[in-house]
Amino acid sequence: ERHPVAADVLNNTRAQMVLLSTEPGPQAVRRLVSELMDFEDVNRYLTEKIVAIGIRYDFGEGHELLGRRMRDLALKQHGRLYELTRTGRGLLLDQTGRLSVTGWADRVDHVVDVSEELDVPAVLLRPDGHVAWTGEEQQDLLDHLPRWFGTAASRT
């Protein structure tokens, strides 16, 4: 799944390196790109390209967030989403308060909080910040957790 993304990153890096050239051609292109960045859509596109938020992995059918890198959301109780993702673990952001990651709590943090910017009941994020699941049904979540986080730990 990462090969097309890696190719895109390589192309992006090459383009940026050309723009750093002191030759007249690349300088003219750099000035043009700078002017284009005054347009909100162009600026958003280039920003998403650089920070890789526009990447969408094919995780199958589902909500439009599925396979995309979650942006940094404002949360009512916990500040910003990215503050919660620094552990390198999975994260279930649960706006319902009815879900559980029992069996995966050693690999997945469960945060019950609300964001006015999120239009789904819950999202499961991989450690890289990509949305692995959206929904509100516990059984559906349990069906998806093993794919991304392995077998549930046995209860002792």
Side-chain angles (χ1 to χ4, degrees):
E1 79 185 21
R2 293 190 184 265
H3 287 283
V5 172
D8 192 47
V9 168
L10 186 57
N11 284 335
N12 186 358
T13 302
R14 287 177 175 150
Q16 289 181 50
M17 291 304 297
V18 168
L19 291 176
L20 292 175
S21 171
T22 57
E23 296 295 316
Q27 284 184 358
V29 173
R30 185 174 56 234
R31 285 190 298 275
L32 175 62
V33 169
S34 180
E35 290 174 19
L36 289 172
M37 287 183 68
D38 288 338
F39 295 97
E40 186 177 331
D41 287 344
V42 173
N43 194 16
R44 182 180 307 112
Y45 174 81
L46 291 174
T47 300
E48 288 179 358
K49 196 106 169 122
I50 290 168
V51 299
I53 203 151
I55 294 170
R56 183 173 194 268
Y57 293 119
D58 184 5
F59 292 170
E61 293 186 22
H63 192 275
E64 65 182 19
L65 288 174
L66 193 62
R68 293 197 181 276
R69 186 165 185 262
M70 179 61 76
R71 60 189 168 83
D72 191 18
L73 304 172
L75 303 172
K76 290 215 175 189
Q77 299 172 10
H78 292 91
R80 308 278 320 166
L81 178 64
Y82 283 4
E83 292 297 318
L84 303 173
T85 62
R86 293 183 178 190
T87 63
R89 295 163 44 96
L91 176 83
L92 175 65
L93 177 57
D94 179 3
Q95 298 194 108
T96 70
R98 297 187 313 263
L99 298 172
S100 171
V101 293
T102 301
W104 290 270
D106 60 329
R107 291 159 271 170
V108 179
D109 295 326
H110 181 199
V111 175
V112 177
D113 204 339
V114 178
S115 174
E116 293 179 8
E117 303 172 57
L118 188 60
D119 68 349
V120 292
V123 293
L124 177 65
L125 303 180
R126 299 188 322 182
D128 65 0
H130 285 264
V131 177
W133 174 84
T134 64
E136 62 184 317
E137 298 297 326
Q138 181 66 37
Q139 187 56 54
D140 191 33
L141 174 62
L142 293 175
D143 291 344
H144 284 81
L145 280 164
R147 174 179 180 190
W148 303 108
F149 300 101
T151 306
S154 60
R155 296 181 190 181
T156 56

